[in-house]
Amino acid sequence: MRVETGILGVLLVVVVVPLGTGAMLVHEGLYAEAEGFLALGFILSIVLAKPIAWGVAHYLMMGEVRSMNTFCENARNGEYPTSWDLPEQTEGESDLLRLRRNLYWLVRAAANREEWLAARLSRAARSSWEYERLANVDPLTGVSNRRHFELFMQEAVTSGGVIHLLLVDCDGFKAVNDTMGHAAGDELLKRLGAVLSGAVRGPEDCVFRYGGDEFGVVLRGRERDTALAVAERVRARFAREGRGVTLSIGVGECRVRRRVDPDEAARRLHADADAAVYAAKRRGRNRVEAAWTLPGGDGALRKMAACGRTAG
């Protein structure tokens, strides 16, 4: 039963019934009986004064309690109110009002703490991402470093499919450092990194600096003609922009058909691309050579056998 219903019932019994009955008896001229009912009402009022007072106070408190419950439920659901309708604090305010005020302060403190923790976690996540990015990026050119290249190659070989590795070596780069200074050499390397980055198509490919003036590109899911076209486009563009420095590029190929040893497959692929680079330099530099065109037959058959070697 609701508290307000109970209070209404008690007031009806204690006040309305005796007074109403007494008024009817007075109207009928039955004064003695009327005095009896009024005396009974007076006695009941005295006896029930305390329960009635408690009930009225409880009824008045229910609105406050409901308001606080709603406030707490919103806070539990992550909806922190920015303000709560509270009067100015005074020394003689009720305990109930003080409870409301303390509850509001407690919830706001929790909200501020949660916001602080969220901001700190966000900064930590950004810092972690930045550290990871710096660990995988060559600081001079902005392309991937050797560490990231090795991780990328391992993942690429494990995923399977066709992989082409372009190894890029600058022809005459030492002369630039000797005659024009290391600053000019650094600018040249930055330019080469930009040219290589412009030749790839997205996260499925990877441009990296292997060391010094040696760079590389991993192409995934391309055919031979496409890989050679990418290499030739890089060579031609840098020949126009390289200030007299040209590129020798070797292209290796790996077709992964079965479960493989990633380290062995990557090593074989790198060895083939490296052999093609040396062939390009021996044949006059500023050119592209493919490992499968080197003497000794179609290198692709040899690569398929090597890359298909199972682990263990």
Side-chain angles (χ1 to χ4, degrees):
M1 183 176 65
R2 293 171 60 88
V3 175
E4 50 266 39
T5 303
I7 294 174
L8 182 61
V10 172
L11 291 175
L12 183 65
V13 172
V14 174
V15 178
V16 178
V17 172
L19 290 178
T21 304
M24 290 178 59
L25 292 174
V26 170
H27 180 72
E28 296 295 332
L30 302 174
Y31 298 107
E33 289 81 354
E35 290 178 358
F37 271 98
L38 292 175
L40 177 62
F42 179 72
I43 294 172
L44 289 176
S45 299
I46 295 175
V47 173
L48 299 177
K50 185 175 180 180
I52 291 175
W54 180 88
V56 172
H58 185 66
Y59 172 72
L60 295 176
M61 290 174 55
M62 289 305 297
E64 296 288 346
V65 172
R66 282 192 291 268
S67 176
M68 287 188 285
N69 279 334
T70 301
F71 183 82
C72 293
E73 288 173 0
N74 291 337
R76 184 184 61 187
N77 295 329
E79 301 172 3
Y80 299 110
T82 56
S83 64
W84 202 7
D85 186 17
L86 293 171
E88 293 293 331
Q89 186 173 2
T90 61
E91 293 184 0
E93 65 183 12
S94 67
D95 290 337
L96 187 61
L97 181 56
R98 188 176 296 112
L99 176 61
R100 285 184 61 188
R101 196 183 305 281
N102 291 336
L103 180 62
Y104 174 70
W105 286 336
L106 179 63
V107 169
R108 287 310 307 164
N112 292 336
R113 181 68 175 178
E114 184 174 311
E115 292 172 1
W116 179 81
L117 288 174
R120 186 161 186 175
L121 288 174
S122 178
R123 288 196 299 271
R126 288 197 300 270
S127 297
S128 177
W129 177 86
E130 183 65 18
Y131 291 147
E132 181 67 19
R133 188 189 69 83
L134 292 175
N136 291 327
V137 172
D138 175 60
L140 176 63
T141 62
V143 302
S144 297
N145 57 18
R146 183 168 178 173
R147 171 181 178 272
H148 185 244
F149 157 70
E150 292 173 350
L151 295 174
F152 186 89
M153 276 294 300
Q154 187 175 48
E155 191 275 331
V157 174
T158 303
S159 299
V162 182
I163 306 169
H164 288 93
L165 174 61
L166 283 58
L167 287 184
V168 181
D169 189 82
C170 294
D171 303 321
F173 178 75
K174 185 177 183 300
V176 174
N177 280 336
D178 293 342
T179 59
M180 302 177 64
H182 289 282
D186 289 347
E187 287 300 319
L188 197 65
L189 294 177
K190 292 178 184 178
R191 185 59 193 159
L192 177 54
V195 171
L196 292 171
S197 297
V200 300
R201 62 183 178 183
E204 61 267 34
D205 300 332
C206 178
V207 177
F208 63 95
R209 184 183 179 191
Y210 199 74
D213 61 333
E214 297 179 352
F215 287 74
V217 181
V218 180
L219 303 176
R220 302 172 65 177
R222 314 285 188 94
E223 292 303 321
R224 288 179 174 179
D225 292 344
T226 304
L228 290 175
V230 170
E232 181 58 33
R233 187 162 61 249
V234 167
R235 185 206 63 77
R237 182 175 178 182
F238 196 74
R240 297 192 301 267
E241 304 176 10
R243 301 177 184 177
V245 176
T246 58
L247 302 178
S248 294
I249 303 177
V251 184
E253 180 183 71
C254 179
R255 294 177 179 267
V256 182
R257 300 181 183 276
R258 301 187 297 276
R259 185 173 64 88
V260 300
D261 179 352
D263 294 333
E264 176 66 11
R267 187 187 68 79
R268 295 275 183 151
L269 178 58
H270 185 275
D272 284 344
D274 196 49
V277 170
Y278 281 107
K281 287 187 172 294
R282 287 196 306 270
R283 294 175 180 179
R285 302 183 178 184
N286 190 26
R287 60 187 295 125
V288 176
E289 291 290 343
W292 55 86
T293 64
L294 299 180
D298 188 353
L301 296 177
R302 175 166 46 85
K303 286 179 209 32
M304 281 189 280
C307 293
R309 183 176 301 172
T310 57

